[in-house]
Each structure stands twice: as C-alpha cells, then as structure tokens.
Amino acid sequence: MELAYYSDYAVRLVNTEEPARNKDALTSVEVIRELFGQATQMARRATDSDVTRFRSVRTRLRAVFTAADEGDHTGAVDLLNSLLLEFPVSPQISGHDTLDEEGRPRWHMHLADHPSNATSGYAAIAAMGLAFHLTEFGADRLGLCQAPPCRNAYLDTSTNRSRRYCSDRCATRANVAAYRARKRLEAERPDHTGLTDENSQESTTPADR
C-alpha cells in the first residue's frame, strides 16, 4: 500500500461537513469508526469525546485544501506541517500476512502509530498521507469542488490537472447549470435579424438598379 493512499483519510474527514448547506455528519462515535475504514483496531479506540476533537482536526485539514485551492501553496504546506508536528507517526515496513505468487510477503510501507486517543491516530495518518500526496503530485492537486454550494475536498489525479469537481454528479450539475445560464443569456439578447435584413435590402437596391 502506497503512503499516498492515506491521503484519502483527510478527504473522508473533511467531507463529513457541508458548510454552505450547514450540514455536519460528524455527530457520533459510530461515524468516527466508519471513517477508519479497514483500520478496525484504531476504530475501536474511538469514544464520544473524540467527536469534538475530530471536528477540530477537520477544520485544520479543510484549511489546507482551501489554501491549496486558492493558490496559496506555501500556506497549505505550512498548515500541513503544523499538523505533522502535532501528530507524528512512525513509518514501518509491513507484510500484513499477504503473500505474492512466489510465497513471499508483499512488503509495503505502513504508517504505524501509538496515539493516546483515536483522534491523534487518525490525524497523524491523514496528515502524513496528505503530505505524501502533496509532495508527489503538487499542492495544486488538492482542491475544493467548484459546483456551488458543494465544497467537498478532492485529490486531483487527472493526467492534465483538469479536475474541478468532487464527483461526476457535481460535474454534471455544474455543466447543466452553465448550459441553462447560456440559454438564458441568449434569450435575453435583442433580436437584430429584422434590422439586418432591412439594411441589407437598402444597400443592395441601388446596385440592382
């Protein structure tokens, strides 16, 4: 498993909130445990007190995406570095008892952590994963959805750095809205067809004579 994989932890946490819609899905310890995904051992450490702590980390992670989305790459790195300092991890080589075709362990890097609570463990993995993604692909690969009112975070992995939306659904919604806006502008424009035809006839009459 590549270390950049862990960047998805940051995306999942940030997207538990929809500020423009005043919605927050991070309301219980059960939601926190779902965020851990397959990391069930860490998820079992979560308690009700982690809800508030997770929200605090979420605010800081969103600030990283916001800075990157606005082109403030240095600011994004500074914010991310502060998280890395506060929530350190210990990278380790792991095999997870998975063997390849020749019976050898499938070695890969794993982010081992020894936190005092579930929030520290999650924050450490999310920050480190995001840091690896940023340094490998660039800060401009961290974005926020451009389809109002959605502002979900996403990681741009497109070949031409063209991603602007968090999902196909938002991309379709934005395209439909843009199409309707163009149609409204076209409908509001004055019709100059009659005037053009009249001028055309006047200009050609003398020549015909």
Side-chain angles (χ1 to χ4, degrees):
M1 185 181 298
E2 297 295 334
L3 288 177
Y5 158 84
Y6 291 107
S7 58
D8 190 52
Y9 277 63
V11 173
R12 290 205 300 268
L13 178 54
V14 171
N15 291 347
T16 59
E17 181 185 31
E18 296 181 74
R21 293 189 174 103
N22 197 28
K23 292 183 178 180
D24 188 349
L26 190 55
T27 57
S28 67
V29 67
E30 286 76 18
V31 174
I32 290 176
R33 288 171 180 161
E34 290 177 3
L35 287 172
F36 278 100
Q38 296 180 351
T40 55
Q41 184 174 355
M42 283 195 295
R44 285 194 289 268
R45 303 173 188 164
T47 65
D48 290 332
S49 59
D50 282 300
V51 174
T52 300
R53 291 195 289 258
F54 259 70
R55 287 176 175 171
S56 176
V57 171
R58 180 182 62 187
T59 298
R60 295 171 66 181
L61 286 171
R62 177 173 284 278
V64 175
F65 279 92
T66 299
D69 187 68
E70 294 175 350
D72 182 10
H73 297 171
T74 299
V77 169
D78 289 342
L79 291 168
L80 190 50
N81 274 336
S82 68
L83 284 164
L84 292 170
L85 288 171
E86 185 173 346
F87 303 105
V89 295
S90 302
Q92 294 179 358
I93 299 174
S94 175
H96 284 316
D97 299 324
T98 302
L99 305 180
D100 61 18
E101 293 77 6
E102 299 180 5
R104 297 175 302 187
R106 295 182 183 274
W107 301 117
H108 62 272
M109 293 301 297
H110 172 73
L111 296 184
D113 64 286
H114 311 283
S116 58
N117 56 66
T119 303
S120 296
Y122 195 99
I125 290 176
M128 183 63 77
L130 201 57
F132 271 95
H133 192 95
L134 186 151
T135 53
E136 182 174 354
F137 300 107
D140 57 343
R141 294 296 188 128
L142 279 59
L144 294 174
C145 187
Q146 300 301 303
C150 180
R151 293 294 281 168
N152 275 352
Y154 65 83
L155 300 171
D156 184 3
T157 57
S158 63
T159 55
N160 58 355
R161 301 172 182 264
S162 61
R163 185 170 178 179
R164 295 293 179 271
Y165 308 104
C166 68
S167 64
D168 291 340
R169 179 181 180 182
C170 276
T172 299
R173 184 162 54 84
N175 290 335
V176 170
Y179 172 80
R180 290 174 177 172
R182 288 196 300 270
K183 286 299 182 181
R184 283 196 299 269
L185 286 175
E186 292 174 1
E188 293 170 359
R189 290 174 183 168
D191 186 359
H192 298 293
T193 303
L195 179 60
T196 302
D197 290 341
E198 183 179 348
N199 290 342
S200 177
Q201 290 176 3
E202 291 178 356
S203 62
T204 57
T205 300
D208 292 340
R209 293 175 183 173

